[in-house]
Amino acid sequence: MPELPNVPDLLSVAVQALGGAERTNQLTMASAVAHAIDTGEHLAVQAGTGTGKSLAYLVPSIRHAVESGRTVVISTATIALQRQLVDRDLPRLSDALAGALGRRPEFAILKGRNNYLCLNKIHTGAAEEPENAELFDAFAISRLGREVQRLTKWSSDTETGDRDELVPGVSDQSWRQVSVTSRECLGKSSCPVGEDCFAERARAEASKVDVVVTNHAMLAIDAITGIAVLPEHDVVVIDEAHELVDRVTGVATAELAPSTISAAARRCVKLVEEQDADRFEASAEGWDAVLEELHAGRWEGLPDGAGHALAAVRDAAWAVRTAIGPARPGMNATDPEAAAARNAALAAVDEVHDSAVRVLTAFDEPDPAKRRDVVWLADEERRGKLVRMAPLSVGGLLRSRLFAESTVVLTSATLTVGGSFDGLAVNWGLPAESGTRVDPAMATGTEAPADEAAIRWNSLDVGSPFDHAKAGILYVAKHLPAPGRDGLAPSYLDEIAELVTAAGGRTLGLFSSMRAAKAAAEVMRKRLDTPVLCQGDDATGQLVRAFAEDEATSLFGTLSLWQGVDVPGPSLSLVILDRIPFPRPDDPLLVARQRAVESRGGNGFLSVAGNHAALLLAQGVGRLLRSVDDRGVIAMLDSRLATARYGGYLRASLPPFWETSDPEVVRKALARLTAG
């Protein structure tokens, strides 16, 4: 094969073909990614909005894939970025580089099996009874039927069976009627329609391409299960890497609810003796009785009675599993509906059994800081009481199953907290940059993870094309009282009204709760002459479009909006944040993680709650400047950003805006922007 052009030359070809302009920080990032791929050293790259980071990692990744014949995996946290890569960036880039590389690079998207229609489930009509069916009214059940009918018709029209291509979408409950998890799947060779399976076709396509786009959850499943759900690869690029730990934690979190046990027992009624099914159902009642006597919160050990009830669940599940027994030869071919029902039952039983065992063994380690799992009792309005288990840390898992297997590039606009990469690095399972001992002031604990000598990584902040000090103002409303628990104080509402009025609308209000967002929107609609939209009024995409199209309109919402709004231009001149986005102080998992850091001599509050808030804050602030011509104000109504000891740590995670606490200065600046 002839020698391929180097990365700078390929990047130049791509930029020219796509009608862009060369950017120094984009070239710096692309060269660093190429170096990481060549040396095998992992790389963390912080690249601000406007850097063109997708191109900066795609060009060296594609070059490596074409040269080596090996697949590169690109992982994202959000569907929006997945779609941007697959629908826009990769098609255009493949066309642009085809001549220089000697062929057109190929790419594919790969998601979890339950994101695709299951043709066997549709053809056999093996619909499930909804969990807690008695809670659903007749209208909800009739809507379920209508949506399943629509999905059945769609199965004949769709080329991919991919849920994300269904517009408008359907409820999770409806989708479950026509999809299966990997545990429920019969397998391609055993399924009557295995040759036409959408999930198998997606996997087959992914095995033949240069670049596979997937999500952090799939990456986690690949790592946790040890089963290769992704094609063989030697390079992984993780975009939106600030989300990696939370997404992996989510995949590794399990639960045990009485309703889940009952649902599993119902699946087994026709497959086992009545006494085995009754024993399984009785174990659900026993578990429910134990939980009803307990208060929500984290468990430091097994409460009285819980061990006996869990053992009953475990043993009943195992007895049912044994009774179901192995599949009979030829079952799948002669009775695919029975085979599907059997697999679904086994999957449900296995989940219950494994969760019961996980809770029973969670407290075997006497030192809470060394336990693998955190266990807590949740009390939900719809589902009642249930127990959840989540890993105390995912660093060890990522270190052994991700960083030890591939060269990894991690990138995002926000990777430094408190001015350092160490906070996220240690959570990823990488050794801290500063060596085996970490300054407790940096809030990461005194000991980096083990095996640090075996893992080498570099970090790079390529900066931003924006001149933050000239383009934006960070205004901290120092004169306001610290936020309380009783909603937005009148002084906060007055401040919001004055700011939005000065800005002439053009405001994105980001609130710590939906209740606060709705309350503020309701008051502002009465006090302002400009329109105010609120999250929940319509689909988020529609709201963002309406906000972008009318400069006078403001949009209020919660944390879930922070990453979904990309509105360059004069429609967004003011971002208001009602408070520092600390996690709930009673979050069992975060409290456990804080204590674990403190047991190693670190600052638990900064390392967990502070880093969480810093990343969200940086993401929220990042909504303001989306193009080099943008100008505006970040208004933080939480005075603690200026007055609390941790305020400097949080501000070090933000871009270098010009700072003020003078409301008059800010109102005049907004008025000048409005006047044009």
Side-chain angles (χ1 to χ4, degrees), residues 209-224:
V209 299
D210 301 296
V211 175
V212 168
V213 178
T214 189
N215 55 49
H216 296 352
M218 281 286 280
L219 207 61
I221 292 166
D222 199 76
I224 291 167

Side-chain angles (χ1 to χ4, degrees), residues 439-464:
D439 179 0
M442 292 311 299
T444 52
T446 56
E447 294 297 329
D451 304 325
E452 60 266 20
I455 294 182
R456 296 176 61 85
W457 70 285
N458 294 304
S459 63
L460 173 68
D461 183 351
V462 298
S464 166

Side-chain angles (χ1 to χ4, degrees), residues 204-397:
E205 186 180 347
S207 68
K208 299 180 291 189
V209 299
D210 301 296
V211 175
V212 168
V213 178
T214 189
N215 55 49
H216 296 352
M218 281 286 280
L219 207 61
I221 292 166
D222 199 76
I224 291 167
T225 63
I227 301 168
V229 295
L230 296 172
E232 193 172 332
H233 58 275
D234 63 345
V235 173
V236 178
V237 178
I238 300 174
D239 202 342
E240 301 176 312
H242 61 281
E243 292 267 16
L244 180 63
V245 168
D246 284 347
R247 298 303 171 104
V248 175
T249 299
V251 171
T253 298
E255 62 180 39
L256 188 62
S259 58
T260 307
I261 304 170
S262 293
R266 288 196 298 274
R267 286 182 181 275
C268 302
V269 167
K270 296 179 181 178
L271 302 174
V272 299
E273 298 291 333
E274 186 177 350
Q275 63 194 41
D276 287 327
D278 288 347
R279 178 186 173 195
F280 198 14
E281 180 62 54
S283 76
E285 295 170 6
W287 183 233
D288 189 35
V290 168
L291 297 187
E292 279 305 309
E293 298 299 315
L294 300 172
H295 294 293
R298 182 182 165 209
W299 287 1
E300 303 287 352
L302 282 175
D304 291 343
H308 178 76
L310 284 165
V313 172
R314 176 198 63 195
D315 296 344
W318 189 253
V320 165
R321 200 194 195 294
T322 305
I324 292 174
R328 297 190 305 275
M331 174 194 288
N332 294 346
T334 58
D335 193 350
E337 186 172 348
R342 178 184 174 280
N343 260 37
L346 283 175
V349 172
D350 282 346
E351 186 177 336
V352 168
H353 175 270
D354 294 352
S355 295
V357 170
R358 191 168 166 184
V359 181
L360 276 168
T361 58
F363 306 101
D364 290 352
E365 166 58 58
D367 183 355
K370 295 180 180 177
R371 287 175 185 159
R372 194 188 74 170
D373 275 333
V374 179
V375 182
W376 70 95
L377 176 62
D379 191 354
E380 297 183 351
E381 188 175 337
R382 187 176 71 84
R383 300 179 65 200
K385 291 182 175 178
L386 65 155
V387 167
R388 286 205 171 89
M389 310 126 256
L392 179 63
S393 167
V394 296
L397 171 72

Side-chain angles (χ1 to χ4, degrees), residues 77-113:
T78 61
I79 292 173
L81 181 54
Q82 258 187 9
R83 285 179 173 161
Q84 177 190 313
L85 290 172
V86 173
D87 297 339
R88 192 185 76 185
D89 294 351
L90 279 166
R92 295 166 67 201
L93 188 56
S94 293
D95 289 340
L97 297 181
L101 295 175
R103 67 173 176 84
R104 188 179 190 274
E106 300 293 328
F107 58 90
I109 189 167
L110 186 61
K111 304 174 183 179
R113 188 174 291 276

Side-chain angles (χ1 to χ4, degrees), residues 107-288:
F107 58 90
I109 189 167
L110 186 61
K111 304 174 183 179
R113 188 174 291 276
N114 62 341
N115 287 280
Y116 301 95
L117 286 172
C118 173
L119 291 171
N120 183 55
K121 201 166 185 180
I122 288 174
H123 291 165
T124 58
E128 306 167 8
E129 179 185 350
E131 190 178 311
N132 291 341
E134 66 276 6
L135 300 180
F136 291 94
D137 58 26
F139 175 78
I141 292 173
S142 66
R143 189 189 74 172
L144 177 71
R146 288 194 302 273
E147 289 189 338
V148 170
Q149 281 185 338
R150 182 171 150 237
L151 287 165
T152 303
K153 181 177 182 299
W154 184 63
S155 70
S156 302
D157 302 328
T158 177
E159 293 289 321
T160 65
D162 183 340
R163 180 180 182 178
D164 288 330
E165 295 186 9
L166 179 67
V167 180
V170 296
S171 66
D172 290 345
Q173 188 190 356
S174 298
W175 186 257
R176 280 196 295 270
Q177 311 305 305
V178 297
S179 64
V180 293
T181 64
S182 54
R183 269 182 162 176
E184 295 169 332
C185 178
L186 297 177
K188 181 180 178 181
S189 59
S190 302
C191 180
V193 287
E195 290 301 319
D196 297 318
C197 174
F198 291 121
E200 290 295 337
R201 278 161 49 187
R203 184 172 296 185
E205 186 180 347
S207 68
K208 299 180 291 189
V209 299
D210 301 296
V211 175
V212 168
V213 178
T214 189
N215 55 49
H216 296 352
M218 281 286 280
L219 207 61
I221 292 166
D222 199 76
I224 291 167
T225 63
I227 301 168
V229 295
L230 296 172
E232 193 172 332
H233 58 275
D234 63 345
V235 173
V236 178
V237 178
I238 300 174
D239 202 342
E240 301 176 312
H242 61 281
E243 292 267 16
L244 180 63
V245 168
D246 284 347
R247 298 303 171 104
V248 175
T249 299
V251 171
T253 298
E255 62 180 39
L256 188 62
S259 58
T260 307
I261 304 170
S262 293
R266 288 196 298 274
R267 286 182 181 275
C268 302
V269 167
K270 296 179 181 178
L271 302 174
V272 299
E273 298 291 333
E274 186 177 350
Q275 63 194 41
D276 287 327
D278 288 347
R279 178 186 173 195
F280 198 14
E281 180 62 54
S283 76
E285 295 170 6
W287 183 233
D288 189 35

Side-chain angles (χ1 to χ4, degrees), residues 613-672:
L615 286 170
L616 277 176
L617 202 55
Q619 286 290 316
V621 165
R623 299 309 97 195
L624 181 66
L625 304 183
R626 307 304 292 179
S627 75
V628 290
D629 297 322
D630 285 352
R631 301 287 183 270
V633 171
I634 301 291
M636 167 54 78
L637 306 187
D638 190 336
S639 57
R640 294 175 298 175
L641 191 65
T643 60
R645 284 186 302 169
Y646 51 75
Y649 181 79
L650 296 178
R651 289 200 306 278
S653 306
L654 303 179
F657 292 108
W658 186 79
E659 296 185 20
T660 184
S661 57
D662 187 334
E664 187 63 26
V665 167
V666 169
R667 287 196 293 269
K668 286 180 177 177
L670 287 169
R672 284 195 299 272

